[in-house]
């Protein structure tokens, strides 16, 4: 069953790409770990050779500076590639696990099996990182991959297509550029895995397209991430870290703090410090430390969330430049438009609470977020935050930085996503971890066969 008829030229073109990739996978070329390592090294070298083109492309797309691009796109990507190249041989080995008594004598292990032909769909806000880090996972695991980067930053999409399509066999890796028609045509195909980064709305479309084939899906989505400042919060350092995380990429970041819940006794200090940090950072498009809003549609959406009656700081915007100045809204309630959707822009909404129960209740009234942040020294507050608030990943006395530790998996929960990746988790995300029991012929206890006595049953019970 397909979500749309497959009869357009785009559908035919894409069907051929998938056919070529399936045939390539069947050649078994991707199975040896040495092949995968060679391809990962090749990709790393190509990226290094094209860095300047990549900086130029993203600057043209939304004014992101070289340093910001290095920090948030290329360094994490090189780290993933470095980890993959260093550890793949170990990760790809069968993993021994203990065998239970009932099955002895035998050995048990888990074999990582590539899934086959995979589709990676990227989001626009970190176009290199969010397209190529999942691609590294798919390559590590020994799959063939079609990558569909976001069409919104058009030049970054073009440069990724150029790097990959001019240097890799289309049967192994191929970039399909395009918007909804192309993505729809891609989703009409049968895949062995779909890895999608984007909004929960489109995540639902992807999930529906995967359902008829029961395709394995990872969805990296978004939500409204709370930053809770408890009454004992370390205000100066806490706000400094939170403001950096909020205005990185102009708030166009899935992990960004979306709204602040500040204890009423420290709310004024928190807000004053927020202003201090914003002004100290001197966020400037010209000086390359503040990115533009990706397009006019998003500009209108973000600027439209600013309620002039609730502006505590900022509130200015320039449609021609596609810039929304850092803005703090206060006296916000759950009914306000700013709390009805993920902000995904340089605005922070501030609400207050008197008890932790009140703060947690606000979080619970919204969908499960991709990230949760708490600023507090108090052990009991931290314990309650971790056990009572659901979120994809989180940080205590920090924000966003959890994603830079590849030993921690990255992913959402509920409407913020399903599945996880980064580092070894990426390898597992794109593999089937196949459990195997291997018996010897040394000994046959005969216990499991029919015709049990009560004595045998007692023995079996003991063994299990
Ligand atoms: P989006 O859902 O609009 O687009 C993502 C991808 O889906 C793009 O490649 C786009 O071409 C494709 N697409 C868009 N509409 C489609 C449709 N109707 N049918 C089929 N494909 C379609 O998301 P976005 O605007 O690129 O990114 C913003 C959202 O992504 C936010 O919600 C943000 O939180 C989330 N996000 C999540 C992560 C994460 O890792 N969890 C990272 C970045 C962004």
């Amino acid at each position: 069953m397909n979500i749309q008829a497959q009869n357009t030229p785009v559908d035919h073109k894409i069907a051929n790409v998938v056919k070529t990739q399936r045939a390539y996978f069947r050649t078994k070329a991707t199975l040896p770990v040495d092949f995968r390592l060679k391809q990962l090294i090749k990709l790393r070298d190509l990226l290094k050779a094209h860095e300047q083109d990549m900086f130029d492309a993203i600057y043209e797309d939304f004014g992101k500076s070289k340093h910001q691009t290095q920090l948030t796109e290329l360094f994490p990507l090189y780290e993933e590639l470095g980890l993959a190249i260093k550890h793949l041989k170990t990760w790809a080995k069968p993993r021994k696990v203990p065998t239970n008594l009932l099955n002895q004598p035998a050995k048990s292990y888990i074999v990582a099996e590539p899934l086959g032909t995979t589709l990676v769909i990227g989001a626009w806000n970190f176009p290199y990182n969010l397209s190529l880090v999942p691609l590294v996972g798919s390559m590590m695991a020994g799959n063939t991959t079609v990558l569909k980067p976001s069409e919104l930053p058009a030049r970054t999409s073009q440069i990724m297509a150029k790097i990959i399509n001019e240097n890799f066999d289309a049967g192994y890796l191929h970039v399909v550029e395009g918007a909804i028609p192309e993505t729809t045509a891609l989703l009409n195909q049968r895949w062995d895995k779909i890895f999608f980064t984007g909004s929960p709305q489109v995540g639902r479309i992807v999930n529906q397209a995967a359902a008829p084939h029961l395709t394995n899906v990872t969805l990296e989505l978004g939500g409204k991430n709370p930053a809770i400042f408890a009454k004992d919060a370390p205000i100066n350092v806490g706000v400094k870290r939170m403001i950096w995380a909020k205005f990185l990429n102009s708030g166009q970041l899935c992990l960004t703090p979306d709204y602040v819940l500040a204890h009423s006794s420290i709310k004024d200090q928190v807000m004053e410090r927020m202003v201090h940090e914003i002004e100290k950072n001197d966020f400037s498009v010209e000086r390359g430390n503040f990115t533009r809003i990706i397009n006019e549609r998003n500009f209108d959406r973000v600027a439209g969330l600013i309620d002039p009656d609730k502006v505590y700081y900022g509130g200015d915007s320039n449609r021609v430049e596609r810039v929304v100045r850092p803005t703090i809204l206060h006296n916000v309630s759950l009914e306000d438009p700013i709390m009805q959707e993920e902000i995904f822009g340089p605005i922070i909404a501030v609400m207050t609470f008197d008890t932790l129960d009140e703060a947690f209740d606000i979080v619970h009234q919204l969908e499960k977020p991709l990230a949760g942040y708490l600023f507090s020294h108090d052990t009991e507050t931290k314990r309650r935050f971790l056990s009572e608030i659901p979120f994809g990943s989180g940080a205590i006395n920090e924000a966003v930085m959890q994603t830079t530790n590849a030993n921690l998996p990255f992913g959402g929960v509920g409407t913020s996503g399903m599945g996880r990746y980064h580092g070894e988790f990426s390898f597992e995300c794109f593999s089937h971890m196949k459990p195997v029991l291997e018996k010897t012929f040394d000994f046959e206890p005969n216990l499991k066969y029919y015709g049990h006595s009560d004595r045998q049953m007692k023995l079996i019970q003991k063994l299990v």
Side-chain angles (χ1 to χ4, degrees):
M1 197 178 91
N2 296 317
I3 56 174
Q4 271 192 13
Q6 293 184 50
N7 49 18
T8 68
V10 176
D11 280 310
H12 286 297
K13 200 175 140 216
I14 282 167
N16 276 333
V17 172
V18 179
K19 205 168 141 195
T20 313
Q21 289 224 340
R22 289 208 175 279
Y24 192 96
F25 185 74
R26 279 197 302 275
T27 66
K28 302 185 214 160
T30 65
L31 295 188
V33 171
D34 282 342
F35 169 88
R36 303 182 204 173
L37 283 171
K38 220 169 121 190
Q39 304 305 318
L40 289 163
I41 291 166
K42 179 174 166 181
L43 178 64
R44 185 182 62 186
D45 293 347
L46 282 165
L47 293 173
K48 295 248 182 222
H50 286 84
E51 269 188 1
Q52 192 55 50
D53 296 338
M54 293 171 81
F55 294 141
D56 293 345
I58 201 163
Y59 188 78
E60 269 190 69
D61 279 333
F62 55 117
K64 194 160 162 173
S65 71
K66 175 178 167 181
H67 287 161
Q68 287 290 316
T69 305
Q70 285 175 310
L71 199 67
T72 61
E73 304 257 11
L74 297 192
F75 291 168
L77 179 55
Y78 289 140
E79 197 200 349
E80 284 290 323
L81 275 160
L83 286 171
I85 292 163
K86 188 168 170 201
H87 297 295
L88 183 56
K89 280 202 164 132
T90 312
W91 293 343
K93 275 191 186 140
R95 299 172 190 190
K96 282 190 192 146
V97 295
T99 300
N100 58 340
L101 263 182
L102 186 65
N103 282 307
Q104 298 288 1
K107 52 185 177 181
S108 302
Y109 44 87
I110 299 167
V111 180
E113 175 182 86
L115 292 169
T117 294
T118 73
L119 171 64
V120 172
I121 304 177
W124 59 264
N125 54 332
F126 294 93
Y128 300 130
N129 184 334
L130 298 173
S131 303
L132 299 175
V133 170
L135 177 71
V136 169
S138 187
M139 291 168 75
M140 271 200 269
N143 301 298
T144 65
T145 314
V146 173
L147 168 64
K148 209 299 287 179
S150 171
E151 70 284 11
L152 299 188
R155 284 155 200 89
T156 62
S157 172
Q158 280 158 15
I159 189 75
M160 284 188 273
K162 181 176 149 68
I163 294 171
I164 289 171
N165 293 353
E166 288 181 4
N167 294 289
F168 290 92
D169 190 316
Y172 175 50
L173 300 183
H174 191 66
V175 174
V176 171
E177 288 193 85
I180 294 178
E182 290 75 13
T183 318
T184 306
L186 284 164
L187 290 172
N188 274 331
Q189 295 296 316
R190 179 182 186 139
W191 300 94
D192 299 307
K193 165 103 197 172
I194 303 176
F195 186 104
F196 171 81
T197 304
S199 59
Q201 293 84 329
V202 182
R204 288 185 178 91
I205 296 174
V206 172
N207 219 9
Q208 273 172 7
H213 306 297
L214 298 177
T215 296
N216 177 317
V217 175
T218 295
L219 300 176
E220 297 287 343
L221 312 175
K224 288 187 81 62
N225 309 318
I228 302 174
F229 282 77
K231 66 172 178 240
D232 70 313
I235 296 175
N236 290 1
V237 184
V239 169
K240 180 179 176 171
R241 292 176 185 166
M242 195 276 293
I243 287 293
W244 174 85
K246 174 66 218 179
F247 294 108
L248 191 66
N249 218 34
S250 285
Q252 301 173 112
L253 166 65
C254 55
L255 288 173
T256 199
D258 187 282
Y259 63 102
V260 162
L261 287 167
H263 190 270
S264 51
S265 63
I266 58 164
K267 176 206 152 206
D268 291 341
Q269 283 162 276
V270 168
M271 298 220 302
E272 280 159 25
R273 200 68 200 177
M274 280 161 70
V275 173
H276 169 86
E277 284 300 330
I278 290 171
E279 294 192 338
K280 200 176 83 187
N281 271 290
D282 182 26
F283 292 116
S284 147
V285 176
E286 294 70 34
R287 281 182 285 286
N289 55 8
F290 201 61
T291 36
R292 293 180 201 285
I293 302 296
I294 183 69
N295 59 13
E296 286 177 357
R297 195 171 70 91
N298 266 285
F299 173 91
D300 292 339
R301 186 188 61 76
V302 174
L305 292 173
I306 301 175
D307 175 349
D309 292 341
K310 304 224 161 167
V311 172
Y312 174 81
Y313 178 83
D316 307 324
S317 57
N318 180 331
R319 193 169 196 269
V320 177
E321 297 282 322
R322 297 200 324 269
V323 173
V324 175
R325 302 297 311 156
T327 297
I328 304 171
L329 300 187
H330 67 152
N331 298 329
V332 169
S333 77
L334 275 175
E335 288 68 43
D336 289 333
I338 194 86
M339 292 307 293
Q340 306 302 313
E341 61 182 89
E342 182 183 357
I343 299 170
F344 221 61
I347 308 172
I348 190 134
V350 181
M351 286 191 273
T352 54
F353 64 90
D354 289 317
T355 64
L356 266 190
D357 282 334
E358 239 176 84
F360 290 2
D361 189 50
I362 290 173
V363 181
H364 281 134
Q365 288 191 54
L366 301 164
E367 296 287 359
K368 292 178 185 174
L370 186 65
Y373 304 116
L374 170 72
F375 293 87
S376 171
H377 289 302
D378 181 56
T379 311
E380 177 59 8
T381 305
K382 291 186 211 173
R383 187 198 65 74
R384 287 197 55 195
F385 169 72
L386 294 179
S387 68
E388 295 178 33
I389 299 286
F391 49 78
S393 70
I396 293 176
N397 298 325
E398 183 53 286
V400 169
M401 293 302 288
Q402 74 273 20
T403 185
T404 63
N405 180 359
N407 296 312
L408 292 171
F410 180 82
V413 57
T415 58
S416 61
M418 57 177 85
R420 52 194 201 158
Y421 76 129
H422 284 186
E424 189 173 2
F425 303 101
S426 282
F427 176 78
E428 292 179 7
C429 173
F430 282 94
S431 302
H432 167 54
M433 303 305 287
K434 187 160 68 179
V436 178
L437 175 79
E438 184 178 333
K439 281 290 269 195
T440 70
F441 288 103
D442 294 347
F443 171 64
E444 178 58 272
N446 281 324
L447 272 175
K448 69 183 175 207
Y449 301 108
Y450 293 112
H452 298 118
S453 65
D454 286 349
R455 217 175 113 246
Q456 279 174 324
M457 287 311 286
K458 270 194 190 135
L459 186 56
I460 292 175
Q461 195 177 14
K462 268 195 189 140
L463 292 176
V464 299

